[in-house]
Amino acid sequence: MTDRTLCLGEALVDVVLREGTEPAEHVGGSLFNVACGLSTLGDPASILSWWGRDERGARIADAAARAGVEIVPGTDDAPATPLAYAHLDAEGRATYEFDLGWQVPPVGGLERYGHLHTGSFAATLAPGADGVRDIAARIRDHATISYDPNIRPALMGTPEAVLPRITELIGLADVVKASDEDIAWLHPGEPVEDVMRRWIAAGPALVVVTRGPWGAYALLAGNRDMLHVDQLTVEVADTVGAGDSFMAGLVSGLLEAGYLGSRYAARRLRSAQWSDVQPALHRAVITSALTVSRAGAHAPSRDEVEAVRAGDPTLR
């Protein structure tokens, strides 16, 4: 067993556009944000991605180094570093458009990793999507997997085009996290609860759906009841990276509790009850709240998380 997590997917530069302000550039990307979030929380993380050896790529590499994230060789072989244009509305909510390509560099030594996290457009965008599916299938022999569909309509086209691959990865995953907006796009008109139950039946041990200011719903394979987890009340700067921070906090908490990191851990998670996983869900809520309280994809430290816990005994 190893406690290192491989984050497989996009790292890019967010160009943040808000009316009345100058454009600002920040290093980001869903899988990069999760890698940085894990590392900052004290959990070893590596990033396998696809960016260029240009000025923006150098900024991504510098940000990885500052966060303590290991870069898997081949990651910087892209012809150019991908860009995501984040348009923020008056309430700080982001919508995206993209200028990028995606493929998975050759990788070996998967036995180094006890957990794989993947998702977003990396799991559906050709030609790299096949590489993501291949690595997930290979690593599942010894490691656990978490998956976040993190829907990006501008890159994914239609639900019908990507649903088969998303469904396949849900079946391979031990933990699935999505937003209610993801589910509304994938399964329009269907109640969130019905979709969660269908996903649990497909294979994951834990499914979590975030619902913005209404907190999150969670469903365990070993428990018939659905849990509602309240969000923390904070002043929102913007929502950039909020879901990624929630994912990092959740994975970190489950790793610490021994419910991710090996196939033995996966079996433990499958029989877990709410008292077992609630601390990890609380960590996810805290990390997400700390992120939205600051501009950009802020990755909270373990000290910041513990300070919030110390101020609220119900978050134990």
Side-chain angles (χ1 to χ4, degrees), residues 4-11 29-36 45-51 60 64 69-73 75 113 117:
R4 180 168 289 276
T5 295
L6 176 63
C7 293
L8 169 58
E10 78 269 15
S30 179
L31 281 298
F32 185 80
N33 291 342
V34 174
C36 290
S46 303
I47 181 75
L48 176 59
S49 191
W50 189 241
W51 68 70
I60 295 175
V69 173
E70 176 190 75
I71 299 170
V72 178
T75 285
Y113 307 105
H117 176 63

Side-chain angles (χ1 to χ4, degrees), residues 24 37 40 48 52 91 101 126 139 141 146 162 173 199 227 235 248 258 285:
T40 305
L48 176 59
E91 296 180 2
I139 207 169
D141 287 343
S146 55
V162 297
W199 285 2
L227 181 71
E235 185 173 342
V285 164

Side-chain angles (χ1 to χ4, degrees), residues 61-276:
D62 288 346
R66 288 195 302 273
V69 173
E70 176 190 75
I71 299 170
V72 178
T75 285
D76 61 354
D77 285 346
T81 295
L83 300 177
Y85 295 91
H87 299 267
L88 301 183
D89 64 16
E91 296 180 2
R93 292 188 297 258
T95 57
Y96 293 87
E97 55 184 329
F98 300 87
D99 178 14
L100 53 81
W102 166 241
Q103 64 186 66
V104 177
V107 61
L110 292 178
E111 66 279 357
R112 295 185 63 228
Y113 307 105
H115 183 70
L116 169 71
H117 176 63
T118 192
S120 196
F121 65 78
T124 61
L125 185 66
D130 287 344
V132 172
R133 165 62 178 80
D134 176 63
I135 289 174
R138 288 162 54 200
I139 207 169
R140 199 175 190 277
D141 287 343
H142 70 273
T144 47
I145 299 173
S146 55
Y147 173 58
D148 179 0
N150 197 24
I151 297 301
R152 295 290 181 254
L155 287 170
M156 294 182 178
T158 66
E160 293 77 16
V162 297
L163 197 52
R165 181 53 58 90
I166 288 173
T167 301
E168 184 178 24
L169 286 167
I170 288 170
L172 287 170
D174 300 285
V175 175
V176 175
K177 192 280 293 183
S179 70
D180 53 0
E181 292 178 343
D182 294 337
I183 288 179
W185 188 82
L186 285 168
H187 303 285
E190 288 196 53
V192 166
E193 298 88 343
D194 289 355
V195 175
M196 291 176 70
R197 289 189 176 95
R198 192 161 68 246
W199 285 2
I200 276 284
L206 173 65
V207 170
V208 182
V209 174
T210 57
R211 311 200 73 176
W214 298 282
Y217 287 173
L219 194 61
L220 277 170
N223 192 305
R224 66 176 298 277
D225 297 320
M226 191 168 294
L227 181 71
H228 174 249
V229 186
D230 286 328
Q231 186 57 276
L232 298 184
T233 301
V234 295
E235 185 173 342
V236 176
D238 63 49
T239 63
V240 174
D244 303 327
S245 186
F246 187 102
M247 189 82 243
L250 179 61
V251 170
S252 173
L254 291 172
L255 283 168
E256 182 175 295
Y259 293 114
L260 293 177
S262 68
R263 294 318 299 169
Y264 171 73
R267 291 190 292 274
R268 293 189 68 234
L269 181 59
R270 185 154 294 279
S271 60
Q273 298 300 310
W274 289 123
S275 59
D276 302 318

